[in-house]
Structure formats: C-alpha cells, structure tokens
Amino acid sequence: MNRKTEESRTAYNKIASEYDASPEGQYTRFHITELINTINLSDGNVVLDVACGNGTLLGELSKKADIQANGIDISEGMISSAKTRYPHINFQVKPCCPLEWSDESIDVITVCCAFHHFDDPQGFANECRRVLKKKGMVCIADPNWGAVIRFLANKFWIPFFGKGDVKIYSSNELEAFFRHAGFESVQTYTKGAGLFLKAGK
C-alpha cells in the first residue's frame, strides 16, 4: 500500500463512525443523489461500488432493482459501518486496483467522490474495462472545480493535505483515462459541485 493509499485508509477510518455528519459526507451526498437518479439498472445486474464508504450509494441502488450488490473499500472502518447498515449486501476490504473480479463479470461499476484518491487511475480504468461485461458501464462522480482553483489545489494544497487525495481532474483528463482504456462510449458532464462520467464498453 503506497503512501497516498495509506493516507486515505487512515483518514476514513477516523471518520467512519460519523461519516454522514462529517464535511466529506455532506459534500458527497449531492454526488450520490445524482448517481442514484441517473444510473439505469435491471434485475439481476451485478453492481460493484468501488471505494463504497459506508454503503449509502449501493444501499440506495439496491432499491431500484434486484441487483447483486458488491462494495469494496480500503477502510476497515467504512466497511464495518456498511455491513452494519446493509447486512444483505456483500462488502469487503479490498483495493481499487487490481479489481479482484474475473473478466466480463460486472454490469455496472460505480465510484463516488473517490477517483481523485486513486494512485493508479489509468490502471483502474483498464481494470474496469476488463471486468465489465459487454455493454457494461462505469459511472463516476468526482469534484467539479474550476480551472484556477483546480490548478492551485493540485499544486499547493493536495500534496500537503495528508488525506490521500492524488489529483483533482478536469473533464478532459477524466475522459482520457477511459478512452485510453478502450471504452467505446465516454461522456462527461458537470452539475453543481460534481463532475460525472459514464463510460460504456
């Protein structure tokens, strides 16, 4: 586990029990709501929520259809909280890359407000394409910051913040990871505080 990943693990273990009331939890709620409203699911879909936190997104998605729901996170505290809140869902402590799923085994992959923590974003995009079934979809929500603020944050704030953030991406940068991975359809849009991506295999 590299330094940034360990920073993320430590930071989220500390706030796991009170995540929803924390500033991070409040900020994430908007992104979760947008994903819930825009992701189409069918009964039987296999869904993997990467960096699932305390399970809120996956819990809500499981109300939309009879899905096979799986959540992974590097924070033991977050996974413990998720298991308590949603005992019917499969939650495990696992890294985001490599994904420990077989080729073409997942219908939908979600990531909410965590992609900017991933130390190997291209590797993750490549793994998404590998494990997704044909016509599978990856849906990501991440922070939407203006160019100037993003530049200043990436240069002067994130390197010293100590919570595992790696980089805040522009829409073009986010798209590029998934186009390079070979996704046939890649779209991004911004809404309020969020930058959203949908990439189809």
Side-chain angles (χ1 to χ4, degrees):
M1 189 177 294
N2 72 17
R3 181 176 64 86
K4 287 291 186 180
T5 303
E6 182 58 36
E7 284 179 357
S8 294
R9 174 178 168 270
T10 299
Y12 286 95
N13 274 339
K14 287 180 179 178
I15 63 172
S17 63
E18 54 187 25
Y19 179 75
D20 287 342
S22 71
E24 289 90 344
Q26 294 295 315
Y27 179 80
T28 302
R29 188 67 219 187
F30 167 80
H31 300 75
I32 288 174
T33 300
E34 180 69 8
L35 289 175
I36 292 166
N37 290 339
T38 58
I39 293 175
N40 296 317
L41 296 171
S42 300
D43 289 350
N45 278 170
V46 181
V47 179
L48 173 62
D49 187 20
V50 179
C52 64
N54 63 7
T56 299
L57 173 59
L58 205 51
E60 293 299 315
L61 290 177
S62 68
K63 297 176 183 178
K64 296 186 68 171
D66 185 16
I67 62 174
Q68 298 179 42
N70 306 275
I72 61 173
D73 201 290
I74 58 168
S75 165
E76 299 89 347
M78 285 293 199
I79 290 296
S80 177
S81 178
K83 287 181 175 180
T84 299
R85 300 174 73 197
Y86 306 101
H88 62 290
I89 294 177
N90 174 39
F91 291 106
Q92 299 181 67
V93 178
K94 288 184 182 293
C96 67
C97 189
L99 293 172
E100 297 181 15
W101 267 264
S102 58
D103 295 358
E104 298 189 353
S105 59
I106 306 291
D107 292 291
V108 178
I109 295 172
T110 56
V111 184
C112 187
C113 290
F115 188 82
H116 62 284
H117 284 265
F118 293 176
D119 62 273
D120 184 7
Q122 188 61 64
F124 173 74
N126 295 345
E127 280 289 272
C128 286
R129 191 177 189 284
R130 178 184 68 79
V131 304
L132 280 173
K133 299 176 183 178
K134 292 179 181 179
K135 301 188 183 300
M137 182 77 65
V138 56
C139 302
I140 292 177
D142 226 35
N144 174 33
W145 292 0
V148 173
I149 294 175
R150 190 172 61 247
F151 171 79
L152 293 173
N154 287 331
K155 187 172 181 64
F156 299 109
W157 178 59
I158 283 178
F160 311 105
F161 191 47
K163 289 194 174 182
D165 304 82
V166 174
K167 184 179 180 181
I168 304 298
Y169 299 100
S170 69
S171 58
N172 287 339
E173 290 171 326
L174 187 58
E175 281 188 26
F177 292 123
F178 292 88
R179 294 193 185 281
H180 186 73
F183 281 83
E184 295 184 3
S185 171
V186 183
Q187 298 178 329
T188 58
Y189 68 95
T190 57
K191 182 177 180 180
L195 167 62
F196 299 91
L197 172 140
K198 288 189 176 183
K201 184 173 176 180

